[in-house]
Amino acid sequence: MKARTMIAAVAILFMAGAADSQGPMEPPTELKKLDWMVGEWSGKVDWTYMMEAEVPYTVKCEWEGQFLKHTSKMDMMGMMFTETAYYGWDAASKKYRGWTFTNFSPDPRLEAGTLTGDTLVMTSEPWNTGEGELVVGRATITKKGADELHFLLEFKEGETWTKGGEGTFKKKT
């Protein structure tokens, strides 16, 4: 019995030491600047890229360990599009990083961006949208108040940016 107790005590000490060596599990200070995005949001996006449609869109942002987790859904002409993104802080490049997984692409979308005041701008690397072509996108999210966000999505065509969609989201209470 003493041997089991000794082994359990050593295991507990080992796990506590391993947890300490991992560093903090909460988001870094720079990422906490996005705290205004936390919550559940809904709104409509006016799509103007390749079609015109007003699309209902819901978003949920929450902290998950060192990341801001962003999940969204939109129903576009009877097709449900979903995304799950994780936003983090890259101290080496001093940029926000995003890794987004969708139900319509086999590849994650990789993004980098900056925060200026209450405006987050994230630009993607060339990304497979599921149609086989590579696309570069830029999403701008601006805090308009405690319960309102503005969203702008653009796509790069040559050297210019073309608006894909734009909308306002209200925070659910």
Side-chain angles (χ1 to χ4, degrees):
M1 191 66 144
K2 287 184 180 185
R4 285 186 187 167
T5 303
M6 180 64 94
I7 291 170
V10 169
I12 289 170
L13 289 173
F14 174 76
M15 289 186 296
D20 281 346
S21 68
Q22 289 181 3
M25 293 301 290
E26 67 271 351
T29 303
E30 294 82 3
L31 193 62
K32 286 292 280 180
K33 291 177 182 177
L34 300 179
D35 200 47
W36 49 268
M37 292 175 61
V38 172
E40 293 186 44
W41 306 83
S42 64
K44 293 187 179 187
V45 173
D46 291 319
W47 289 97
T48 54
Y49 190 76
M50 297 180 13
M51 69 172 167
E52 291 191 21
E54 187 177 75
V55 181
Y57 200 91
T58 60
V59 176
K60 180 178 181 184
C61 292
E62 60 192 318
W63 295 113
E64 189 170 296
Q66 297 182 43
F67 297 94
L68 179 62
K69 181 180 178 184
H70 176 278
T71 54
S72 62
K73 293 181 186 178
M74 70 175 171
D75 184 353
M76 186 180 290
M77 300 183 306
M79 294 176 21
M80 183 61 70
F81 292 91
T82 62
E83 290 190 338
T84 300
Y86 287 90
Y87 294 108
W89 174 252
D90 180 355
S93 68
K94 297 191 181 333
K95 290 197 178 277
Y96 292 89
R97 297 282 180 196
W99 301 266
T100 303
F101 303 88
T102 73
N103 67 332
F104 57 90
S105 174
D107 302 321
R109 186 173 65 243
L110 307 176
E111 300 168 294
T114 58
L115 178 68
T116 304
D118 288 334
T119 299
L120 175 67
V121 179
M122 298 293 288
T123 304
S124 76
E125 294 179 5
W127 174 64
N128 176 4
T129 61
E131 297 293 319
E133 66 180 270
L134 297 180
V135 173
V136 174
R138 178 170 68 187
T140 302
I141 303 169
T142 304
K143 177 184 175 184
K144 292 294 186 182
D147 64 347
E148 186 174 282
L149 300 177
H150 180 262
F151 171 73
L152 173 64
L153 178 63
E154 300 166 289
F155 298 106
K156 194 165 191 180
E157 294 182 334
E159 295 302 314
T160 62
W161 290 98
T162 301
K163 183 165 67 169
E166 186 171 23
T168 300
F169 296 86
K170 296 285 186 179
K171 193 172 199 175
K172 296 180 182 179
T173 55

